[in-house]
Amino acid sequence: MTLIFPFPPSLHRAYITKKGSYKRIRTYVAKSYIATVQWTVKKAKVSKPYPFVKLLQLRFFWPDNRTRDYDNHAYLIMNALKGTLLVDDSWKNIGEKRLISCGIDKDNPRVEVDYVL
């Protein structure tokens, strides 16, 4: 099964750290992106979260040629999938996770998520 999500914001735009503490707070950008991902999963008729996924593959179609970190963009997607597609995003619930770069697509930057139960 394949799910297609818009390209996620970086962690630098998704969270802020409250001054004087280590508490991280989600920004409006992160909250709206997570809502979009969860709506897309619900629209794909996933009735309940799966306890185990054999393979979770994230294919990135980058918006431009800037140097980016996979993990900064995958983090927000994984948090959004927790509770909708996956019971939890820990290593116990995912057999194999792949992050793949599929090049640049300026017109339609996105992340395609494939999963195998």
Side-chain angles (χ1 to χ4, degrees), residues 37-38 41 46-50 80-87:
V37 168
Q38 291 174 344
V41 172
V46 176
S47 59
K48 62 181 182 176
Y50 300 113
L81 292 178
K82 184 166 51 171
T84 54
L85 181 69
L86 306 167
V87 169

Side-chain angles (χ1 to χ4, degrees), residues 50-58 78 81 86-98:
Y50 300 113
F52 184 77
V53 175
K54 290 181 187 175
L55 172 66
L56 186 69
Q57 180 173 285
L58 282 76
M78 296 303 293
L81 292 178
L86 306 167
V87 169
D88 191 22
D89 61 349
S90 71
W91 65 272
K92 293 179 182 179
N93 300 86
I94 302 171
E96 182 179 355
K97 181 173 83 170
R98 296 180 191 161

Side-chain angles (χ1 to χ4, degrees), residues 32-51:
S32 63
Y33 185 78
I34 287 171
T36 301
V37 168
Q38 291 174 344
W39 179 81
T40 304
V41 172
K42 193 176 285 189
K43 187 176 148 185
K45 307 283 189 218
V46 176
S47 59
K48 62 181 182 176
Y50 300 113

Side-chain angles (χ1 to χ4, degrees), residues 1-5 41 46 50 52-61 77-78 81 85-86 94-100 102 110-117:
M1 178 72 145
T2 301
L3 300 170
I4 300 173
F5 304 126
V41 172
V46 176
Y50 300 113
F52 184 77
V53 175
K54 290 181 187 175
L55 172 66
L56 186 69
Q57 180 173 285
L58 282 76
R59 291 180 296 175
F60 290 86
F61 294 85
I77 294 173
M78 296 303 293
L81 292 178
L85 181 69
L86 306 167
I94 302 171
E96 182 179 355
K97 181 173 83 170
R98 296 180 191 161
L99 304 177
I100 300 171
C102 293
R110 65 195 180 278
V111 177
E112 295 178 357
V113 177
D114 296 325
Y115 62 95
V116 177
L117 301 175

